[in-house]
């Protein structure tokens, strides 16, 4: 008996109440996510992107989850769960369709009609069999101006089967879609893929941008990225620009597109339109 007790205690020590609570929270969150998928408790928020004149050129669409108890839940908390549970396929299609509806709705407007929308594509979603077909079916349902659509992908996508990835990208590019490489410089892949893949834009990760004034090493990385983009004829955009001095540094170093709290936070579409038009 005492031995059983001892091992019981050991089990408890190994799987402690804190871990149990964490696991429970995760299981709950996943159950809630399934509800969210059914009841579409999602909303896209839009964050402005501007050029060197401070002129609005586009937006990035960022997913928000309205949780009944927890309120707005951050995508960093639930995107990984959507990926591991396979729900990302369905949610990803919903996101793309929403963005296409938005492009279509804006298309006849003199000011909003010029804007591009950047949509984040999870590597899991991209590699899913039938990804192109799903995307094409969205394009067939919603006749959006596809030259205004940018898809943001990350380096991790290129680690496996770059040939398939390239083909998928080319197929979508024939429809006018452009590709942006998100979080550039934070992955562990080599730069070789840059020569092989039909990218249009590099997005300098905010971790570098936020340190340009305080770290010489980060400043050097940003400068090199801008030079690299230029020599590969890629557009470059800096994300996470929070301070005017960071913006000025970037502009002085040849970066011509920016996104960050300095220019605007991600907001619901109604608020975004109000900010742009008034
Ligand atoms: P990301 O694609 O790198 O998006 C940029 C994140 O930085 C966003 O966080 C945005 O709100 C935040 N941000 C923008 N400007 C600034 C700034 O000046 N300072 C700081 N500190 N942060 C800034 P968010 O919306 O919480 O999204 C986090 C991540 O979740 C995204 O990182 C992306 O990886 C993922 N995500 C968001 N929406 C989607 C989506 O629709 N689909 C997919 N697959 N992933 C998404
Ligand atoms: Ca992004
Ligand atoms: Ca990013
Ligand atoms: Ca990120």
């Amino acid at each position: 008996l005492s031995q059983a007790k001892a091992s019981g205690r050991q089990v408890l020590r190994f799987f402690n109440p804190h871990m149990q609570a964490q696991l429970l929270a995760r299981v709950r969150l996943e159950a809630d996510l399934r509800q969210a998928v059914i009841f579409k408790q999602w909303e896209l928020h839009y964050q402005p992107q501007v050029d060197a004149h401070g002129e609005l050129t586009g937006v990035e669409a960022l997913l928000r989850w309205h949780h009944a108890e927890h309120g707005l839940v951050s995508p960093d908390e639930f995107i990984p769960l959507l990926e591991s549970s396979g729900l990302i396929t369905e949610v990803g299609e919903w996101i793309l369709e929403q963005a296409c509806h938005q492009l279509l709705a804006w298309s006849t407007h003199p000011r909003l009609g010029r804007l591009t929308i950047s949509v984040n594509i999870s590597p899991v979603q991209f590699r899913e069999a039938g990804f192109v077909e799903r995307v094409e079916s969205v394009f067939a349902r919603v006749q959006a101006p596809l030259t205004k659509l940018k898809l943001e992908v990350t380096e991790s996508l290129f680690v496996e089967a770059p040939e398939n990835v390239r083909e998928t990208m080319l197929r979508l590019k024939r429809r006018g879609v452009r590709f942006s490489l998100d979080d550039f410089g934070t992955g562990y892949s080599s730069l070789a893929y840059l020569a092989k893949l039909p990218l249009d834009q590099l997005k300098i990760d905010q971790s570098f941008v936020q340190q340009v004034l305080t770290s010489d090493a980060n400043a050097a990385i940003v400068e090199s990225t801008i030079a690299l983009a230029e020599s590969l004829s890629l557009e470059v955009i800096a994300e996470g620009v929070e301070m005017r001095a960071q913006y000025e540094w970037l502009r002085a170093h040849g970066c011509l597109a920016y996104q960050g709290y300095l220019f605007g936070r991600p907001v619901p579409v109604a608020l975004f339109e109000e900010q742009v038009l008034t």
Side-chain angles (χ1 to χ4, degrees):
L1 186 79
S2 81
Q3 216 172 14
K5 250 186 182 168
S7 74
R9 253 199 312 274
Q10 225 158 16
V11 168
L12 273 179
R13 216 178 310 139
F14 177 66
F15 192 76
N16 62 43
H18 176 66
M19 285 165 72
Q20 195 166 13
Q22 268 192 331
L23 184 72
L24 201 65
R26 202 197 126 102
V27 169
R28 283 218 185 98
L29 197 64
E30 210 171 304
D32 290 353
L33 268 177
R34 287 182 195 280
Q35 291 284 306
V37 172
I38 295 165
F39 297 109
K40 308 256 185 304
Q41 297 165 343
W42 319 109
E43 185 179 20
L44 289 183
H45 283 196
Y46 294 95
Q47 184 178 32
Q49 299 177 333
V50 303
D51 66 15
H53 310 286
E55 201 73 45
L56 183 69
T57 57
V59 294
E60 178 176 4
L62 293 155
L63 188 62
R64 297 291 178 260
W65 176 17
H66 292 278
H67 189 283
E69 296 155 51
H70 308 309
L72 273 193
V73 185
S74 161
D76 282 327
E77 280 179 55
F78 65 84
I79 296 279
L81 266 172
L82 286 177
E83 291 177 336
S84 62
S85 61
L87 293 168
I88 192 70
T89 311
E90 199 176 330
V91 179
E93 188 172 338
W94 181 88
I95 294 165
L96 187 66
E97 187 155 343
Q98 286 296 303
C100 285
H101 273 299
Q102 201 55 69
L103 280 174
L104 183 60
W106 284 345
S107 63
T108 52
H109 191 281
R111 204 155 140 65
L112 299 167
R114 288 199 297 254
L115 304 182
T116 58
I117 298 185
S118 294
V119 174
N120 292 283
I121 303 291
S122 144
V124 175
Q125 178 190 1
F126 193 104
R127 286 205 209 93
E128 190 85 19
F131 169 70
V132 182
E133 289 73 17
R134 277 175 177 274
V135 172
E136 297 273 10
S137 75
V138 171
F139 292 169
R141 282 197 297 276
V142 188
Q143 304 287 311
L146 297 180
T147 54
K148 298 278 188 290
L149 180 65
K150 286 185 187 168
L151 300 183
E152 294 197 1
V153 296
T154 51
E155 287 163 63
S156 63
L157 181 62
F158 307 136
V159 177
E160 271 173 64
E163 208 34 61
N164 295 345
V165 169
R166 186 183 138 85
E167 251 156 55
T168 301
M169 288 172 78
L170 285 175
R171 208 167 136 186
L172 294 176
K173 281 178 72 95
R174 280 197 286 274
R175 304 292 308 268
V177 174
R178 279 170 286 169
F179 283 91
S180 179
L181 184 57
D182 203 359
D183 305 340
F184 181 72
T186 62
Y188 297 97
S189 54
S190 82
L191 291 178
Y193 65 82
L194 282 181
K196 297 190 194 115
L197 292 162
L199 290 163
D200 302 281
Q201 184 183 61
L202 294 187
K203 200 163 190 184
I204 308 174
D205 190 67
Q206 48 182 290
S207 60
F208 303 120
V209 172
Q210 281 157 10
Q211 303 286 325
V212 284
L213 301 169
T214 49
S215 151
D216 290 344
N218 277 281
I221 291 169
V222 172
E223 272 193 86
S224 313
T225 305
I226 294 166
L228 181 67
E230 201 163 86
S231 55
L232 292 170
S233 303
L234 299 174
E235 281 174 43
V236 62
I237 182 167
E239 74 173 341
V241 183
E242 293 179 354
M243 291 153 49
R244 178 139 200 115
Q246 292 166 343
Y247 164 60
E248 276 159 7
W249 187 97
L250 288 160
R251 199 168 49 169
H253 287 82
C255 180
L256 303 176
Y258 326 84
Q259 181 183 339
Y261 294 165
L262 180 65
F263 308 100
R265 289 180 178 257
V267 289
V269 67
L271 188 53
F272 173 76
E273 291 178 349
E274 193 184 306
Q275 286 170 355
V276 173
L277 301 174
T278 57

